[in-house]
């Protein structure tokens, strides 16, 4: 087994199978969207014909949505998966968020939650697509004032409860919309079915991966993750590699990988953040160049799937820093041009 090439194929970073951004997000289940600008490239690089305009259209029309969900952090999900994931994942995400609030000595009474949530919902309903500044103005009209940090928790809770989701795509600022106006609520999916679907999407798109990887990524309890795997029955199996146990689906992609390719990977990309253990693709000696212990991830370069350097996404010229002398900026010139073509497409 070559886990690196298999991951590249199944993460859609090699021999891409999908043409539209919404198909990529639906296939991946959820994609980390911590960096508002670079989440677009995370999706674009996984499509067969990357297009920034196509991403914006899918985002603005609600086929792709951005919200706080798993682990209390930002993700992209498809409209089809939105409500099942809210129902399945938000209880644990809310508990995690309240734990963070407690550690920061922030306590919000239920009456305040309800008052602020009503204002957020009404503002989003009235304006269609709003920024945090719009919320601040609306609250001031009600003679309600609070610090940015506290307001952020209110917005996050409203997202995890399904009240707010993303609005229109702006160049730099996050936006919000009233979910009821953007994503139709379909018949509620049984919890076991939602868990099974999430488990299938994870392993299909991240394989080979371990139980610990899935538990980390989903934010669910390990008992739920074991149950999700069990629900997949004989469509998933174990493979052993270097003393570790990895799960793989029976329809795993193993062909189509071609050597000699560089990838310019955005910060917080699923190529790293999907896994608790990242040493398969990230040499341990260079771990600090990809992320720190506080959860800050850097833009990285991969060669044939192995992380080998860093890059600067928002510089007009190609600025790279490799871990070893065998590579130089000219080696990633073609990939750099693809990235800038995407930004202008």
């Amino acid at each position: 087994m070559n886990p690196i090439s298999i991951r590249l194929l199944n993460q859609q970073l090699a021999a891409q199978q999908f043409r539209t951004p919404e198909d990529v997000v639906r296939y991946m289940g959820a994609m980390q969207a911590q960096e508002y600008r670079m989440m677009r490239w995370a999706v674009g690089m996984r499509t067969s014909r990357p297009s920034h305009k196509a991403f914006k259209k899918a985002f603005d029309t609600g086929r792709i949505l951005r919200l706080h969900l798993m682990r209390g952090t930002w993700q992209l999900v498809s409209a089809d998966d939105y409500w099942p994931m809210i129902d399945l994942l938000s209880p644990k995400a809310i508990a995690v968020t309240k734990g963070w609030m407690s550690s920061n000595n922030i306590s919000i009474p239920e009456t305040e939650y309800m008052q602020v949530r009503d204002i957020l919902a009404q503002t989003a309903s009235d304006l269609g697509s709003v920024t945090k500044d719009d919320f601040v103005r609306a609250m001031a009209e009600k003679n309600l004032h609070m610090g940015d940090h506290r307001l952020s928790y209110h917005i996050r809770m409203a997202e995890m409860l399904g009240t707010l989701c993303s609005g229109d795509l702006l160049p730099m600022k996050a936006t919000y919309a009233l979910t009821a106006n953007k994503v139709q609520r379909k018949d509620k999916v049984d919890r076991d079915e939602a868990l099974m679907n999430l488990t299938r999407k994870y392993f299909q798109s991240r394989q080979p991966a371990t139980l610990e990887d899935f538990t980390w990524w989903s934010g669910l309890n390990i008992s739920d993750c074991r149950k999700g795997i069990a629900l997949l029955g004989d469509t998933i199996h174990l493979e052993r590699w270097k003393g570790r146990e990895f799960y793989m689906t029976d329809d795993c992609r193993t062909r189509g990988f071609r050597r000699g390719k560089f990838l310019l990977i955005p910060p917080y990309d699923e190529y790293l953040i999907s896994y608790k253990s990242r040493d398969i693709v990230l040499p341990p000696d260079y771990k600090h160049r990809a992320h720190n212990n506080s959860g800050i991830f850097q833009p990285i370069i991969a060669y044939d799937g192995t992380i080998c350097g860093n890059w600067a996404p928002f510089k007009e010229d190609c600025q790279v820093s490799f871990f070893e002398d065998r590579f130089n900026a000219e080696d990633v010139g073609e990939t750099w041009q693809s990235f800038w073509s995407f930004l202008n497409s």
Side-chain angles (χ1 to χ4, degrees):
M1 179 173 76
N2 182 343
I4 296 180
S5 64
I6 293 173
R7 282 187 181 177
L8 287 173
L9 287 165
N10 289 281
Q11 282 235 9
Q12 300 296 320
L13 292 171
Q16 291 85 347
Q17 295 176 301
F18 301 108
R19 298 188 64 179
T20 68
E22 55 265 37
D23 285 341
V24 169
V25 176
R26 187 183 302 110
Y27 166 80
M28 298 290 289
M31 297 179 66
Q32 195 75 17
Q34 205 75 12
E35 220 298 338
Y36 185 65
R37 295 169 295 176
M38 293 303 291
M39 67 179 182
R40 309 160 207 202
W41 178 235
V43 175
M45 70 189 302
R46 288 174 166 87
T47 62
S48 56
R49 303 178 75 175
S51 168
H52 188 275
K53 288 181 180 177
F55 180 91
K56 177 172 171 54
K57 183 176 181 180
F59 194 91
D60 289 351
T61 56
R63 297 196 296 270
I64 294 175
L65 302 155
R66 182 180 186 248
L67 72 156
H68 282 92
L69 190 57
M70 297 185 301
R71 308 181 304 276
T73 61
W74 289 104
Q75 273 87 40
L76 292 173
V77 301
S78 73
D80 292 340
D81 290 327
Y82 175 85
W83 282 114
M85 287 193 179
I86 285 285
D87 294 337
L88 176 65
L89 299 170
S90 64
K92 183 66 181 296
I94 288 171
V96 169
T97 301
K98 287 185 175 180
W100 291 347
M101 291 167 60
S102 179
S103 66
N104 289 319
N105 297 316
I106 295 177
S107 177
I108 301 177
E110 188 62 28
T111 52
E112 181 181 317
Y113 274 128
M114 295 176 65
Q115 180 186 16
V116 173
R117 196 175 306 143
D118 285 346
I119 295 173
L120 300 182
Q122 189 62 55
T123 305
S125 178
D126 291 344
L127 300 180
S129 181
V130 301
T131 66
K132 186 184 286 188
D133 292 338
D134 294 317
F135 289 143
V136 171
R137 284 191 289 270
M139 290 172 60
E141 290 174 1
K142 302 287 186 180
N143 200 30
L144 186 60
H145 305 273
M146 64 180 63
D148 183 74
H149 199 45
R150 191 179 188 89
L151 177 58
S152 292
Y153 277 122
H154 276 289
I155 295 172
R156 185 175 305 188
M157 295 294 283
E159 290 175 290
M160 292 186 291
L161 288 170
T163 302
L164 297 178
C165 64
S166 51
D168 293 343
L169 188 71
L170 296 182
M172 299 287 287
K173 285 189 176 183
T175 63
Y176 305 90
L178 186 67
T179 303
N181 291 341
K182 201 159 190 178
V183 192
Q184 183 178 0
R185 176 63 137 153
K186 300 179 181 177
D187 293 340
K188 189 171 183 178
V189 175
D190 176 79
R191 190 178 191 278
D192 280 0
E193 182 181 351
L195 178 59
M196 181 180 67
N197 289 337
L198 180 71
T199 308
R200 179 185 294 113
K201 285 175 182 285
Y202 174 80
F203 284 105
Q204 279 186 335
S205 57
R206 276 83 171 179
Q207 59 191 327
T210 67
L211 170 63
E212 292 74 19
D213 292 331
F214 179 44
T215 304
W216 146 253
W217 178 82
S218 67
L220 293 169
N221 297 326
I222 193 167
S223 58
D224 275 334
C225 294
R226 287 196 178 103
K227 183 178 183 180
I229 292 170
L231 287 169
L232 292 178
D234 58 6
T235 65
I236 194 169
H237 62 275
L238 276 174
E239 294 256 353
R240 298 182 185 276
W241 183 79
K242 293 188 176 182
R244 303 190 208 181
E245 291 186 338
F246 293 88
Y247 285 96
M248 298 176 67
T249 63
D250 291 345
D251 58 356
C252 176
R253 298 179 70 202
T254 58
R255 296 187 178 184
F257 172 70
R258 297 290 183 269
R259 294 190 177 277
K261 183 176 180 180
F262 284 92
L263 291 170
L264 299 178
I265 299 175
Y268 302 98
D269 190 80
E270 292 295 324
Y271 192 59
L272 284 187
I273 213 164
S274 290
Y275 311 96
K276 183 176 182 180
S277 298
R278 302 171 182 125
D279 58 294
I280 289 176
V281 302
L282 175 60
D285 289 346
Y286 302 113
K287 172 185 171 182
H288 64 287
R289 298 282 296 273
H291 63 88
N292 63 23
N293 292 331
S294 299
I296 305 300
F297 283 71
Q298 303 299 326
I300 50 174
I301 305 170
Y303 178 69
D304 286 343
T306 298
I307 309 306
C308 63
N310 300 104
W311 64 297
F314 303 112
K315 303 293 184 181
E316 290 189 6
D317 56 332
C318 183
Q319 295 189 16
V320 298
S321 174
F322 288 104
F323 304 157
E324 300 175 0
D325 293 337
R326 64 192 182 109
F327 300 120
N328 58 60
E330 293 181 357
D331 294 330
V332 299
E334 183 178 347
T335 309
W336 176 259
Q337 289 302 319
S338 296
F339 168 67
W340 275 97
S341 294
F342 166 78
L343 292 183
N344 296 306
S345 63

Tab-separated table of all heavy atoms in Angstrom, residues 297-315:
chain	number	residue	atom	x	y	z
A	297	PHE	N	-2.223	26.742	11.092
A	297	PHE	CA	-1.677	26.014	9.951
A	297	PHE	C	-1.171	26.995	8.895
A	297	PHE	O	-1.780	28.042	8.662
A	297	PHE	CB	-2.737	25.099	9.338
A	297	PHE	CG	-2.981	23.835	10.118
A	297	PHE	CD1	-3.626	23.875	11.341
A	297	PHE	CD2	-2.554	22.618	9.638
A	297	PHE	CE1	-3.850	22.721	12.071
A	297	PHE	CE2	-2.774	21.446	10.352
A	297	PHE	CZ	-3.425	21.496	11.577
A	298	GLN	N	-0.069	26.621	8.246
A	298	GLN	CA	0.583	27.469	7.255
A	298	GLN	C	0.318	26.968	5.833
A	298	GLN	O	0.016	25.784	5.635
A	298	GLN	CB	2.097	27.489	7.516
A	298	GLN	CG	2.485	27.959	8.905
A	298	GLN	CD	2.042	29.374	9.183
A	298	GLN	OE1	2.025	30.214	8.282
A	298	GLN	NE2	1.691	29.650	10.435
A	299	PRO	N	0.453	27.836	4.825
A	299	PRO	CA	0.419	27.360	3.439
A	299	PRO	C	1.630	26.457	3.184
A	299	PRO	O	2.748	26.803	3.566
A	299	PRO	CB	0.509	28.649	2.618
A	299	PRO	CG	0.211	29.759	3.574
A	299	PRO	CD	0.656	29.292	4.911
A	300	ILE	N	1.399	25.317	2.557
A	300	ILE	CA	2.463	24.338	2.376
A	300	ILE	C	2.565	23.899	0.920
A	300	ILE	O	1.611	24.019	0.148
A	300	ILE	CB	2.249	23.098	3.273
A	300	ILE	CG1	0.813	22.580	3.104
A	300	ILE	CG2	2.554	23.434	4.739
A	300	ILE	CD1	0.516	21.292	3.827
A	301	ILE	N	3.733	23.382	0.580
A	301	ILE	CA	3.982	22.825	-0.744
A	301	ILE	C	4.175	21.324	-0.586
A	301	ILE	O	4.854	20.864	0.349
A	301	ILE	CB	5.241	23.432	-1.385
A	301	ILE	CG1	5.144	24.958	-1.421
A	301	ILE	CG2	5.455	22.873	-2.788
A	301	ILE	CD1	6.447	25.637	-1.819
A	302	ALA	N	3.579	20.552	-1.479
A	302	ALA	CA	3.789	19.105	-1.489
A	302	ALA	C	4.378	18.697	-2.830
A	302	ALA	O	3.989	19.225	-3.873
A	302	ALA	CB	2.479	18.369	-1.242
A	303	TYR	N	5.321	17.771	-2.777
A	303	TYR	CA	5.855	17.182	-4.003
A	303	TYR	C	5.557	15.693	-3.952
A	303	TYR	O	5.975	14.984	-3.024
A	303	TYR	CB	7.360	17.409	-4.118
A	303	TYR	CG	7.962	16.775	-5.351
A	303	TYR	CD1	7.665	17.269	-6.620
A	303	TYR	CD2	8.806	15.668	-5.261
A	303	TYR	CE1	8.192	16.696	-7.755
A	303	TYR	CE2	9.349	15.091	-6.394
A	303	TYR	CZ	9.037	15.604	-7.643
A	303	TYR	OH	9.561	15.016	-8.772
A	304	ASP	N	4.783	15.220	-4.930
A	304	ASP	CA	4.307	13.837	-4.927
A	304	ASP	C	3.650	13.486	-3.601
A	304	ASP	O	3.752	12.367	-3.101
A	304	ASP	CB	5.442	12.862	-5.236
A	304	ASP	CG	5.842	12.883	-6.706
A	304	ASP	OD1	5.049	13.388	-7.520
A	304	ASP	OD2	6.951	12.432	-7.026
A	305	GLY	N	3.006	14.472	-3.009
A	305	GLY	CA	2.233	14.241	-1.804
A	305	GLY	C	2.957	14.464	-0.503
A	305	GLY	O	2.327	14.553	0.553
A	306	THR	N	4.278	14.565	-0.525
A	306	THR	CA	5.054	14.790	0.696
A	306	THR	C	5.305	16.273	0.882
A	306	THR	O	5.753	16.957	-0.038
A	306	THR	CB	6.400	14.037	0.644
A	306	THR	OG1	6.146	12.627	0.553
A	306	THR	CG2	7.222	14.309	1.894
A	307	ILE	N	5.019	16.791	2.086
A	307	ILE	CA	5.187	18.211	2.361
A	307	ILE	C	6.670	18.557	2.329
A	307	ILE	O	7.481	17.942	3.022
A	307	ILE	CB	4.586	18.588	3.730
A	307	ILE	CG1	3.143	18.077	3.842
A	307	ILE	CG2	4.643	20.093	3.937
A	307	ILE	CD1	2.236	18.514	2.738
A	308	CYS	N	7.013	19.577	1.533
A	308	CYS	CA	8.432	19.877	1.328
A	308	CYS	C	8.759	21.363	1.446
A	308	CYS	O	9.916	21.752	1.261
A	308	CYS	CB	8.878	19.361	-0.037
A	308	CYS	SG	8.050	20.148	-1.438
A	309	GLY	N	7.768	22.234	1.718
A	309	GLY	CA	8.069	23.656	1.803
A	309	GLY	C	6.850	24.494	2.117
A	309	GLY	O	5.758	23.978	2.365
A	310	ASN	N	7.058	25.798	2.112
A	310	ASN	CA	5.988	26.783	2.342
A	310	ASN	C	5.904	27.745	1.170
A	310	ASN	O	6.874	27.913	0.424
A	310	ASN	CB	6.243	27.573	3.626
A	310	ASN	CG	6.297	26.709	4.868
A	310	ASN	OD1	7.378	26.444	5.396
A	310	ASN	ND2	5.150	26.277	5.352
A	311	TRP	N	4.753	28.387	1.021
A	311	TRP	CA	4.585	29.378	-0.034
A	311	TRP	C	3.759	30.547	0.502
A	311	TRP	O	3.118	30.450	1.549
A	311	TRP	CB	3.925	28.766	-1.266
A	311	TRP	CG	2.511	28.268	-1.074
A	311	TRP	CD1	2.088	27.266	-0.247
A	311	TRP	CD2	1.340	28.758	-1.730
A	311	TRP	NE1	0.732	27.084	-0.343
A	311	TRP	CE2	0.233	27.974	-1.241
A	311	TRP	CE3	1.103	29.754	-2.674
A	311	TRP	CZ2	-1.076	28.183	-1.695
A	311	TRP	CZ3	-0.201	29.962	-3.114
A	311	TRP	CH2	-1.260	29.170	-2.622
A	312	ALA	N	3.805	31.665	-0.216
A	312	ALA	CA	3.102	32.884	0.187
A	312	ALA	C	1.981	33.146	-0.818
A	312	ALA	O	2.249	33.625	-1.927
A	312	ALA	CB	4.066	34.060	0.241
A	313	PRO	N	0.729	32.838	-0.470
A	313	PRO	CA	-0.371	32.925	-1.436
A	313	PRO	C	-0.676	34.317	-1.960
A	313	PRO	O	-1.147	34.453	-3.088
A	313	PRO	CB	-1.570	32.380	-0.645
A	313	PRO	CG	-0.985	31.616	0.481
A	313	PRO	CD	0.294	32.301	0.812
A	314	PHE	N	-0.422	35.350	-1.174
A	314	PHE	CA	-0.915	36.668	-1.552
A	314	PHE	C	0.186	37.614	-2.005
A	314	PHE	O	0.047	38.828	-1.938
A	314	PHE	CB	-1.722	37.258	-0.394
A	314	PHE	CG	-2.858	36.352	0.015
A	314	PHE	CD1	-2.853	35.717	1.246
A	314	PHE	CD2	-3.908	36.108	-0.851
A	314	PHE	CE1	-3.883	34.869	1.612
A	314	PHE	CE2	-4.942	35.262	-0.497
A	314	PHE	CZ	-4.935	34.640	0.739
A	315	LYS	N	1.286	37.041	-2.476
A	315	LYS	CA	2.351	37.824	-3.098
A	315	LYS	C	2.226	37.693	-4.613
A	315	LYS	O	1.898	36.629	-5.133
A	315	LYS	CB	3.722	37.324	-2.644
A	315	LYS	CG	3.923	37.326	-1.123
A	315	LYS	CD	3.950	38.735	-0.557
A	315	LYS	CE	4.244	38.714	0.936
A	315	LYS	NZ	4.252	40.078	1.523
